[in-house]
Amino acid sequence: LDLIKNFGIPTSCIASSTRQQLAIGALWPFMIVLVGAIVGSLYEAYNRLSHPDVNIKSNLKRWTIYGAIVVIYFAIPTVSRSIFDAIKCRAFDDDDQGRSVSYLLVNMEIKCDTTDDNVYGSILVLFWVLFTICI
């Protein structure tokens, strides 16, 4: 979602919940690669249908792999930061006795070390597994 923030679009316009924002923030590189592969396939199909008598050598696979490598290479820092932000907490002083309360940075309504926080921790593990397997 950092890519969307750079264009000045609020993330709440794209996804309403924190989980959705995290999912989009972690999966947008794969969406770009998928759209690129679909557009390339449609372009190749159009060329083959419009020129059936010419033997066109396909470079689609090579260009799709090159494009995927470039997108993933530039996306790794942004995606990594958004995934790690899902488990970052910030502590606030609660009372005069030195106690503090910690909240997630991505959603200050969720206290750390609670069941809601554990859900975001499991999302973190899922995204890291998907991201490392797909790369």
Side-chain angles (χ1 to χ4, degrees), residues 26-130:
L27 298 175
W28 68 264
F30 301 111
M31 290 184 242
I32 289 176
V33 169
L34 180 65
V35 167
I38 290 171
V39 168
S41 297
L42 291 174
Y43 179 73
E44 184 175 331
Y46 170 76
N47 279 339
R48 288 181 186 235
L49 290 175
S50 63
H51 306 293
D53 53 339
V54 178
N55 187 8
I56 300 173
K57 185 177 178 185
S58 174
N59 291 325
L60 176 65
K61 184 177 179 181
R62 181 172 43 125
W63 283 107
T64 302
I65 291 172
Y66 289 161
I69 289 171
V70 168
V71 168
I72 298 296
Y73 175 77
F74 286 111
I76 284 175
T78 304
V79 171
S80 298
R81 184 177 49 234
S82 69
I83 290 173
F84 280 122
D85 283 347
I87 59 169
K88 268 189 200 171
C89 294
R90 180 165 181 196
F92 296 96
D93 291 333
D94 191 24
D95 57 15
D96 293 334
Q97 297 175 353
R99 294 185 200 149
S100 63
V101 177
S102 298
Y103 294 95
L104 284 176
L105 283 177
V106 293
N107 188 349
M108 292 293 224
E109 296 174 357
I110 299 174
K111 288 185 181 181
C112 292
D113 301 325
T114 61
T115 56
D116 288 336
D117 180 36
N118 292 335
V119 169
Y120 287 98
S122 62
I123 290 173
L124 171 86
V125 170
L126 175 68
F127 286 147
W128 270 116
V129 168
L130 286 175

